[in-house]
């Protein structure tokens, strides 16, 4: 993909699933990667995997609810590799699956804190650093739950709709400064997050697959290629867009 080679990418949630696959894809395309995650062991494993393939990566322990951790990630990109060109704000959790009136404040606050505040805090740190070097590209992870409702997931759905709103707002504010901001909306992707709910309810997973036009789960690498494309010069006129990558799930 054009324009990725030689750039610097910050990826949150890089210890697992979609974040790890995207960190690896950025590195394969020639970017240096700052891998950020609360999971130190998984994050360091991502860095080792990238390095063993000849890529360049650094791990920064990050809780996306902590603003100084996010500032440290941006600083690591600039200090270690010279700039911040791409950011993939992807760390997220599903939270407890319970009906509306049974949602307690703790679950609501935790999901909103990580999935929505975490993206806002991250962008607030990333944008000035990107503008400093003439622009860049941000991709935020929303979900098809960012455009559709799902039962028993009210905080998750609210947080992912919020990510779409933040993405559009930042795109309107900064696209004339050379900074594009988009969101990726994964469908049901085979990652540890989905494996956990599959273990709890295998029948529900079968039913979900039956409802996907592509008749299968997506792979993390299929999200990674959309994210890196959105960051590349091949997507130079794409900004503010919520892009579903979902095997057709959201078109029905
Ligand atoms: P995953 O559980 O495999 O990975 C999530 C990563 O986020 C983990 O490495 C975890 O340690 C990290 N994380 C969690 N809380 C954090 C925090 N406070 N600070 C820093 N890191 C933290 O899940 P995944 O499926 O790869 O999910 C990645 C993103 O994709 C999430 O935002 C999720 O909501 C979204 N998503 C996933 C699917 C899916 O089907 N897998 C679908 C739609 C959207």
């Amino acid at each position: 993909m054009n324009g990725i080679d030689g750039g610097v990418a910050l990826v949150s949630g890089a210890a697992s699933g979609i974040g790890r696959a995207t960190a690896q894809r950025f590195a394969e395309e020639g970017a240096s990667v700052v891998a950020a995650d609360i999971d130190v062991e998984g994050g360091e494993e991502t860095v080792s995997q990238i390095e063993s393939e000849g890529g360049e990566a650094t791990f920064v322990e990050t809780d996306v609810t902590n603003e100084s951790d996010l500032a440290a990630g941006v600083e690591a990109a600039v200090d270690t590799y010279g700039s911040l060109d791409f950011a993939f704000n992807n760390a997220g959790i599903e939270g407890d699956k319970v009906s509306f009136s049974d949602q307690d404040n703790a679950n609501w606050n935790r999901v909103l804190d990580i999935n929505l505040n975490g993206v806002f805090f991250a962008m607030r740190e990333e944008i000035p650093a990107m503008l400093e070097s003439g622009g860049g590209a941000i991709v935020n992870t929303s979900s098809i739950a960012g455009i559709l409702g799902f039962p028993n997931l009210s905080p998750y759905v609210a947080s992912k709709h919020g990510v779409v709103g933040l993405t559009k707002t930042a795109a309107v504010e900064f696209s004339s400064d050379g900074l594009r901001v988009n969101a990726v909306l994964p469908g049901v992707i085979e990652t540890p997050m989905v494996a956990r709910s599959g273990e709890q309810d295998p029948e529900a997973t079968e039913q979900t697959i039956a409802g996907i036009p592509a008749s299968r789960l997506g792979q993390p690498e299929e999200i990674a290629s959309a994210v890196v494309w959105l960051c590349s010069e091949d997507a130079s006129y794409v900004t503010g867009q919520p892009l579903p990558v979902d095997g057709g799930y959201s078109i029905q």
Side-chain angles (χ1 to χ4, degrees):
M1 290 184 218
N2 287 303
I4 302 295
D5 191 15
V8 182
L10 172 60
V11 176
S12 78
S16 178
I18 291 168
R20 173 176 282 175
T22 307
Q24 288 171 328
R25 184 64 192 269
F26 268 120
E28 277 165 29
E29 297 285 338
S32 301
V33 175
V34 176
D37 206 291
I38 201 165
D39 171 2
V40 175
E41 200 183 326
E44 284 175 348
E45 175 60 29
T46 299
V47 167
S48 305
Q49 287 177 8
I50 288 173
E51 286 173 343
S52 70
E53 298 291 320
E56 190 81 57
T58 304
F59 174 68
V60 177
E61 184 177 355
T62 305
D63 178 345
V64 295
T65 67
N66 182 323
E67 295 166 61
S68 51
D69 285 3
L70 293 163
V74 171
E75 212 175 285
V78 174
D79 289 354
T80 315
Y81 301 119
S83 62
L84 178 66
D85 306 299
F86 318 117
F88 181 38
N89 299 314
N90 163 74
I93 59 164
E94 208 179 20
D96 299 335
K97 274 190 168 175
V98 284
S99 141
F100 225 93
S101 47
D102 295 329
Q103 288 286 350
D104 61 32
N105 290 8
N107 185 54
W108 172 268
N109 288 333
R110 190 166 142 260
V111 173
L112 270 288
D113 226 15
I114 295 173
N115 292 6
L116 183 59
N117 295 354
V119 171
F120 173 68
F121 292 153
M123 284 203 288
R124 203 168 55 183
E125 298 296 334
E126 292 156 1
I127 289 169
M130 288 179 163
L131 295 180
E132 185 95 352
S133 59
I138 295 177
V139 177
N140 298 318
T141 300
S142 175
S143 164
I144 48 172
I147 48 171
L148 302 172
F150 287 89
N152 302 325
L153 281 170
S154 45
Y156 186 77
V157 171
S159 70
K160 294 301 187 180
H161 274 68
V163 169
V164 171
L166 279 180
T167 301
K168 289 179 180 175
T169 304
V172 171
E173 279 192 43
F174 298 108
S175 292
S176 61
D177 299 320
L179 173 60
R180 294 180 301 104
V181 188
N182 290 287
V184 69
L185 278 54
V188 191
I189 311 302
E190 210 167 349
T191 68
M193 180 184 273
V194 163
R196 282 190 295 273
S197 42
E199 278 159 23
Q200 280 163 24
D201 194 348
E203 217 169 281
T205 306
E206 287 309 312
Q207 274 174 10
T208 302
I209 293 170
I212 301 171
S215 299
R216 65 174 177 86
L217 299 180
Q219 294 303 310
E221 293 74 17
E222 293 177 295
I223 305 302
S225 60
V227 172
V228 179
W229 174 75
L230 282 169
C231 288
S232 77
E233 281 169 10
D234 300 331
S236 52
Y237 203 49
V238 182
T239 194
Q241 296 305 314
L243 175 65
V245 181
D246 65 355
Y249 195 115
S250 61
I251 57 174
Q252 306 177 92

